[in-house]
Amino acid sequence: MGNYTITIDTGTTNTRVFLWDETRTVVSSSKSETGVRNTAVDGNNECLKRAVHDCIEEVLSAADVTFESVNQVIACGMITSNVGLVEIPHVPAPAGVLELAAKARRVLMEDVCPLPILFVPGVKNNGSLVTADNFEAMDMMRGEEVESLAILDRFPKGREYLLVLPGSHTKFVSVDSEGRMTGCLTTIGGELLSCITNDTIIADAVNRSFVQEGNYDREMMLKGFDEAMRVGLGRACFSARILSQFAEKNKKRLASFILGAVLAGDVQAVKASSALSLNSGVTVVVSGKNPLRQAIVDMLKHDSYFTRIEEFAPEPSLPLSAAGAFLVADKYYD
C-alpha cells in the first residue's frame, strides 16, 4: 500500500473530496454540489453515492494515482447521518478525539469505493430522553466536531474553550480542560441573514448584498446589535428600512447594521441556553473568514460578557474538517 489518504466531507448541499500525500499536503481536490439534501428529497442515497464515487475518481485521476497507492479513506460530516451513506450514531458529550475514534466505523461500500471508508461520527449533547420540556438543552453536530478538534490542536491544552464556527448554521462548541467537547449550540444565523438580505422588504435597503471585507462597518454593526438586543430582531431589521428612507443612504453601511442585528440573537442564545455550560471567564475562539469573524469578535468585546477572546484564521490549504478527521483516524484501531 502507498501513503496517500482520501478525505471526504459531505454537508447538506456539497461534498468535498481531497487527496493527500504522506506529508498531509493536498495533492488534488474535487467538489460536487451534492449533499444529504439530495437524499432527503429523492428518498434514497443513490445520487450521493455517485457524487462521492465520482469525486474520488476525479482526485485520483488528477494526480495520476491508483487505489493501490491509497492507504486510507476517511469520511466525516453529514455523510454519517440517516440521509448520508452510513448512519453512525452520535457520540454523547463529553467527547474528544479518543471517544470519536472508539465509535468510528470502517465500512466497505464497493459501489462507492473499492477500499473501506472510515466514517467519523458526530457528537450530541448528553442528556436523557428529549421532551417538550427539556428539548432546549439538546443539540448535535456532524462535521463541526472534527473542525473543533483541528482548532483545539492549535491552542494550549488544559483550558476551557468556547469555539465559534460561523456559517449558515453557526455552531458554538464548549470544551473542557481535558479537550473534550461538552456541548454545542446551533443557530440559523447565516440562513436568517440570507433571508433578510434577499427575501424581505429590507432587501432594497441593503441592495441585496452582504457585508464584504472591504466595506465592513464596525460602528453600524454595533448599532444593529444594540438595537436588536433592545427591541428584538424583527423591529431592528425594519429599522434598517427607516434609516434607508430618512437617515442613511449608504446601503453597505446598512448591511453591517443588519449583520449586527442578526448576530445579537446568537449572543442571547449563548448566554441563556441550557445547551451549553459556560462561565464568563472561558477562552472564546472565533473561527471563520473575515469580515464575519471580525464582526463576531467586535460584537463579543462590545457585549463584554466574555473577557478572553481570540481569533483563529483557518489555513486555506488545510480544510479543518480534514485536519480533524486525520486526528481521529490516527487514534482509530479495528
Side-chain angles (χ1 to χ4, degrees):
M1 296 289 284
N3 292 315
Y4 289 94
T5 295
I6 295 172
T7 61
I8 306 163
D9 181 6
T10 293
T12 303
T13 57
N14 294 296
T15 292
R16 293 176 173 86
V17 175
F18 294 88
L19 178 68
W20 307 78
D21 65 17
E22 59 186 2
T23 66
R24 295 191 177 177
T25 300
V26 174
V27 177
S28 60
S29 64
S30 179
K31 177 183 176 181
S32 171
E33 293 183 354
T34 304
V36 297
R37 180 181 62 180
N38 297 80
T39 300
V41 171
D42 297 342
N44 63 73
N45 62 8
E46 292 303 315
C47 183
L48 181 57
K49 284 182 177 181
R50 288 194 301 272
V52 174
H53 172 275
D54 292 348
C55 284
I56 291 174
E57 294 288 345
E58 286 173 12
V59 297
L60 292 176
S61 176
D64 195 23
V65 171
T66 64
F67 281 108
E68 286 72 22
S69 297
V70 176
N71 184 51
Q72 61 180 344
V73 184
I74 318 167
C76 62
M78 292 296 289
I79 200 168
T80 64
S81 70
N82 65 315
V83 286
L85 293 189
V86 175
E87 185 174 7
I88 310 293
H90 289 94
V91 178
V97 64
L98 294 178
E99 288 79 10
L100 289 175
K103 296 298 183 180
R105 284 179 55 198
R106 185 164 278 156
V107 179
L108 178 61
M109 304 183 69
E110 293 183 336
D111 53 347
V112 175
C113 177
L115 300 177
I117 301 172
L118 180 64
F119 290 93
V120 179
V123 173
K124 69 175 182 178
N125 291 5
N126 196 15
S128 56
L129 180 68
V130 177
T131 70
D133 297 319
N134 67 6
F135 66 90
E136 205 284 318
M138 178 52 73
D139 210 309
M140 59 280 186
M141 53 185 169
R142 289 191 189 271
E144 292 87 1
E145 71 291 329
V146 284
E147 293 180 5
S148 297
L149 292 178
I151 295 172
L152 291 170
D153 195 47
R154 291 159 173 77
F155 281 83
K157 314 301 180 188
R159 293 186 189 175
E160 294 183 1
Y161 290 98
L162 173 64
L163 309 181
V164 185
L165 308 173
S168 56
H169 295 170
T170 297
K171 294 283 185 179
F172 297 85
V173 183
S174 57
V175 181
D176 65 17
S177 59
E178 297 179 37
R180 301 176 304 172
M181 293 164 277
T182 58
C184 67
L185 178 151
T186 309
T187 77
I188 60 168
E191 286 193 296
L192 285 174
L193 182 63
S194 178
C195 289
I196 294 165
T197 300
N198 292 302
D199 300 311
T200 71
I201 196 170
I202 309 306
D204 175 68
V206 298
N207 197 31
R208 290 184 170 80
S209 299
F210 301 104
V211 178
Q212 303 298 321
E213 191 161 7
N215 56 39
Y216 166 63
D217 191 306
R218 178 180 181 275
E219 177 190 10
M220 286 298 288
M221 186 279 293
L222 294 179
K223 281 184 181 294
F225 172 83
D226 287 338
E227 193 67 8
M229 293 290 281
R230 188 174 69 88
V231 299
L233 177 62
R235 175 59 179 170
C237 286
F238 192 78
S239 296
R241 176 162 172 78
I242 295 173
L243 286 168
S244 72
Q245 295 292 301
F246 301 105
E248 179 58 72
K249 299 301 182 182
N250 189 319
K251 296 179 184 293
K252 293 179 180 178
R253 279 169 55 83
L254 288 172
S256 289
F257 181 92
I258 291 297
L259 174 60
V262 171
L263 290 178
D266 287 1
V267 168
Q268 290 172 322
V270 168
K271 292 194 292 186
S273 173
S274 53
L276 298 174
S277 178
L278 298 171
N279 63 76
S280 58
V282 70
T283 299
V284 182
V285 178
V286 183
S287 184
K289 298 179 181 179
N290 277 330
L292 184 55
R293 184 178 74 243
Q294 185 61 57
I296 293 173
V297 170
D298 290 341
M299 171 193 67
L300 292 173
K301 289 181 177 179
H302 175 73
D303 182 71
S304 74
Y305 179 79
F306 296 107
T307 57
R308 300 175 183 175
I309 303 167
E310 300 188 36
E311 293 185 59
F312 175 78
E315 303 169 38
S317 61
L318 183 60
L320 286 177
S321 58
F326 271 118
L327 293 173
V328 175
D330 287 345
K331 300 294 183 182
Y332 174 80
Y333 57 89
D334 289 305

